[in-house]
Amino acid sequence: MDSDDAAVELRKLLTEAAHVFSEYVRESQQPGAQVSGRIQGVIADAAQSESDARMFPDAGVGSRVWDDVRDVCAGAANTWSSAFLYKLYAAPAPMGIVGETLLAVLNNNAHVTRAAPSGAAIEQAVARKLAQLLGFPSSADGLTFPGGSYANLHALMTARNTRFPDVRTRGMSNVRGAVFTSAHAHYSIDKAAVAAGFGLDSVVYVPTDSVGCMDVHKLRKLMLESRARGVEPFFVNATMGTTVLGACDPIASISRVCREFGAWLHVDGSWGGPHALFGDDPAFSVHNIHIDSFVVNPHKLLGVPLQCSFLIMRQGLNVMRRALGLGATYLFHDEQVCGESDVPCDVGDATLGCGRRPDAIKFWLMWRYYGTQYFTNRVALARNTSLRLAELVRTRTSLLGRWVLVTEPASTCVCFWFVPCALNDKRSEWGGATRRMCTHINDGGSMLLDYATVDVFDGTNTCTLPEFFRIPINNPSVSSATLNDVLNAIESAAAELYP
C-alpha cells in the first residue's frame, strides 16, 4: 500500500468511525440506556468451534466490520451513562479520545527519545508540572505507566534496590526487609511485594482508625518491632484515596515516622491524587512533606482515557535508572544523565519493561484544550456530588427500611447500607441483603452499582463490616436526579426481594 492509499483509507475509516462512535455515545447517554453489556453477533458465537471461520475469516469482511464494531459496543459496559457507578473511572473526555487516536496514528515507542521525540518532551513536561503542583523539589521528575499497580511495583522495586543494592547481582538471599501498608491499601502493594521477592509474610498491614486512615502510632510500633526482629522496615505505602472508603492516610505524620527510620515513603494516590493536584482539601495537600514517590491515575477522576498513570520520583529518574537500569547498549545509546538538561533522556532503561506508550500526550492535549480549570472543576464537582449523596442517605426516610451511612465520605466515594424492614435490623444479615439487592439491580441492566466490605477499628476491636453499597463519583454527568434514581432503585430492589 503506497502512502496515498494509506492516507485515503485512513480518512475513510476515521470518517465512518466518527459517525459510529458519536452515535454510540449519543445513544449511551440517553436516559434508560443499557449500562450492562450484552454480547451479540459473531462475538456471541466465539465460544462455538464452528464459528471459527466467521470470527477469523480468510477474506476480510470489509465495510461489514462496522457491524462488528456496533456489536462490540453493545457488549461493552456503558461508561457514558451517568448510571455507571460501578468502578473508579467513567467515560473519557472527547479530547482525550482524540489524544488516544493520535497515539495510534503516531505509533511511537517512548522507550527511547529518538523513537518518540514529541512524546518524550511532553512526558517530561507533564511529569515536572505534576511534581510542581505536589510541592516536590525541582529535582523531581516522573514517567507514565500502564496503570497504578505497575507504577506501585516500580516504586517498591526502586526502593528495594536503593536500600539493598546487592540485590541486583546477588539476589534476595541475604535481604530481610518489611513493607508497611494500611490494611485498606490496594492489593497491588501485596502483589508488588511478591514480585519483588519479599513474599506476603513480609507485608505488615497497619490497622486503621474508624474512618479508614492508617494509625500512625501503630505504624511506628510495628516498625520498631520489625527492626527488633532484624527485619529492616525499608518501605511504607500511604494511600491517598483508599479503594473502598476513599480515605486519605495522615501523610505528614507518616512521613515523620519514615524519616525517623530512614524508610522510603511512597504515596499511592492512584484515585485520590487529583485532590492533591487540583483540589482544595487540606487533608490531601502534600506540600512541605517529604515523599519519595507518588502515583496518580489521570484516567480515573480526571477523565483521561484508560490507561494513563504517572509515577513521580522526588529524586528524579536517575534513582530509577540506577536501581533498575541495565544499560542495554544495543538499544539505549543516549549517555545523557536524566535531569541534567531540558532534553528528555531515554527513560525505558528506568523501567522493568521496554516498549512504552507515550500516554502523556492524551493527558497534555486535554490540558491544552480544556485548561487547568477543567480538572479543578471536575474534582470539585465530584466532591460536591459525593457530599450531596451522603446527605440524601443521611436524611432519607423510607417505609421499606432505613438508610445508614458507613462513614462520612472523605473524598468522592459514598458507602452506605439500606436495611430492609424484613431483616428486623439483624446486622448479621445486612451484608447478604446488600449483595442480593446489588446483583438484582445490575441484572436489570440499566444501572451498575457495586458493594464492598472492610475491616475497621471500632474504638476497642477491629471488626469486619457487613457488605455495603460503594458508590464512586467520577462522571461529571451524575446529577441530583441520578442520585435519586440510585436510591429509588435500591428501595425497589428491597421491595421485590424483601416484601
Side-chain angles (χ1 to χ4, degrees):
M1 180 182 293
D2 63 33
S3 59
D4 287 341
D5 288 344
V8 169
E9 182 180 11
L10 180 62
R11 177 183 288 274
K12 178 183 177 182
L13 290 173
L14 288 180
T15 300
E16 185 64 25
H19 170 74
V20 174
F21 293 170
S22 59
E23 184 66 16
Y24 166 72
V25 170
R26 187 191 67 79
E27 293 176 355
S28 297
Q29 292 182 310
Q30 296 302 309
Q34 184 77 14
V35 180
S36 299
R38 291 178 177 173
I39 297 177
Q40 63 186 39
V42 67
I43 306 169
D45 300 331
Q48 306 298 323
S49 58
E50 60 269 19
S51 73
D52 191 69
R54 287 190 62 209
M55 194 77 173
F56 308 101
D58 290 332
V61 298
S63 61
R64 284 186 291 144
V65 76
W66 298 110
D67 294 332
D68 297 334
V69 170
R70 292 183 175 91
D71 287 342
V72 171
C73 291
N78 177 9
T79 61
W80 291 92
S81 170
S82 61
F84 179 83
L85 298 163
Y86 188 53
K87 299 299 179 184
L88 307 184
Y89 59 91
M95 180 49 72
I97 297 173
V98 173
E100 186 71 42
T101 305
L102 177 59
L103 294 183
V105 172
L106 298 176
N107 205 34
N108 277 197
N109 192 334
H111 61 334
V112 175
T113 299
R114 287 191 184 276
S118 58
I122 290 169
E123 182 175 28
Q124 182 183 78
V126 174
R128 291 180 177 180
K129 180 61 177 179
L130 295 178
Q132 179 191 62
L133 291 174
L134 291 169
F136 276 37
S138 59
S139 60
D141 210 333
L143 65 170
T144 60
F145 285 96
S149 296
Y150 200 39
N152 286 336
L153 170 62
H154 277 75
L156 178 56
M157 294 288 279
T158 300
R160 183 199 68 176
N161 291 5
T162 300
R163 177 61 183 82
F164 308 106
D166 288 347
V167 165
R168 286 171 53 89
T169 53
R170 300 179 182 176
M172 293 285 290
S173 58
N174 295 317
V175 172
R176 299 193 69 199
V179 174
F180 292 79
T181 188
S182 157
H184 288 192
H186 192 263
Y187 72 92
S188 61
I189 302 300
D190 296 358
K191 286 197 170 185
V194 172
F198 290 102
L200 291 177
D201 287 347
S202 295
V203 180
V204 181
Y205 304 101
V206 183
T208 66
D209 59 20
S210 60
V211 294
C213 298
M214 183 188 290
D215 187 322
V216 182
H217 296 294
K218 291 182 179 177
L219 168 66
R220 186 176 184 277
K221 179 176 181 289
L222 289 168
M223 292 176 77
L224 283 170
E225 292 174 353
S226 178
R227 181 165 283 177
R229 294 194 304 270
V231 181
E232 183 63 21
F234 81 101
F235 184 91
V236 176
N237 171 70
T239 306
M240 180 178 285
T242 55
T243 307
V244 176
L245 297 181
C248 182
D249 289 335
I251 297 171
S253 299
I254 294 171
S255 177
R256 287 191 288 271
V257 174
C258 288
R259 299 281 279 176
E260 176 187 348
F261 285 83
W264 183 289
L265 174 56
H266 173 66
V267 175
D268 180 7
S270 294
W271 186 23
H275 291 274
L277 293 164
F278 301 106
D280 58 5
D281 188 339
F284 287 82
S285 175
V286 293
H287 281 255
N288 302 315
I289 300 175
H290 186 97
I291 295 169
D292 294 289
S293 52
F294 187 98
V295 169
V296 62
N297 288 356
H299 67 237
K300 291 185 176 177
L301 190 53
L302 299 182
V304 179
L306 286 161
Q307 292 173 300
C308 183
S309 302
F310 269 88
L311 172 61
I312 308 299
M313 305 295 288
R314 183 182 193 86
Q315 301 175 51
L317 297 185
N318 279 323
V319 66
M320 295 184 71
R321 263 188 165 180
R322 290 191 296 268
L324 305 175
L326 294 176
T329 55
Y330 69 89
L331 180 62
F332 303 111
H333 307 316
D334 181 11
E335 296 181 358
Q336 175 194 323
V337 178
C338 293
E340 285 194 350
S341 75
D342 292 330
V343 179
C345 63
D346 294 342
V347 298
D349 200 32
T351 73
L352 293 171
C354 183
R356 305 179 62 249
R357 283 166 51 92
D359 284 321
I361 290 176
K362 56 190 175 184
F363 184 22
W364 175 73
L365 285 177
M366 283 182 57
W367 208 326
R368 288 283 292 172
Y369 186 75
Y370 298 115
T372 303
Q373 193 61 45
Y374 171 81
F375 299 125
T376 302
N377 291 344
R378 277 191 71 119
V379 172
L381 178 60
R383 176 63 175 152
N384 291 335
T385 303
S386 300
L387 294 174
R388 188 158 64 247
L389 176 56
E391 181 64 17
L392 286 174
V393 171
R394 189 186 304 105
T395 59
R396 187 176 175 107
T397 58
S398 173
L399 296 176
L400 298 168
R402 67 187 184 97
W403 296 89
V404 182
L405 268 179
V406 175
T407 183
E408 292 294 326
S411 53
T412 56
C413 192
V414 186
C415 300
F416 56 86
W417 292 280
F418 182 70
V419 186
C421 292
L423 299 186
N424 295 319
D425 231 10
K426 295 179 182 177
R427 190 176 175 89
S428 61
E429 298 183 15
W430 288 17
T434 300
R435 294 193 301 272
R436 287 190 68 195
M437 289 184 285
C438 191
T439 300
H440 183 80
I441 292 168
N442 291 348
D443 287 347
S446 61
M447 182 177 291
L448 272 179
L449 307 181
D450 204 0
Y451 61 86
T453 181
V454 291
D455 294 336
V456 297
F457 186 68
D458 63 6
T460 305
N461 301 298
T462 297
C463 62
T464 301
L465 296 179
E467 286 89 340
F468 46 80
F469 289 98
R470 181 195 68 154
I471 308 297
I473 305 296
N474 296 294
N475 191 337
S477 68
V478 173
S479 63
S480 294
T482 306
L483 303 182
N484 280 299
D485 287 345
V486 169
L487 303 188
N488 290 337
I490 293 173
E491 288 185 354
S492 295
E496 292 187 44
L497 298 171
Y498 298 95

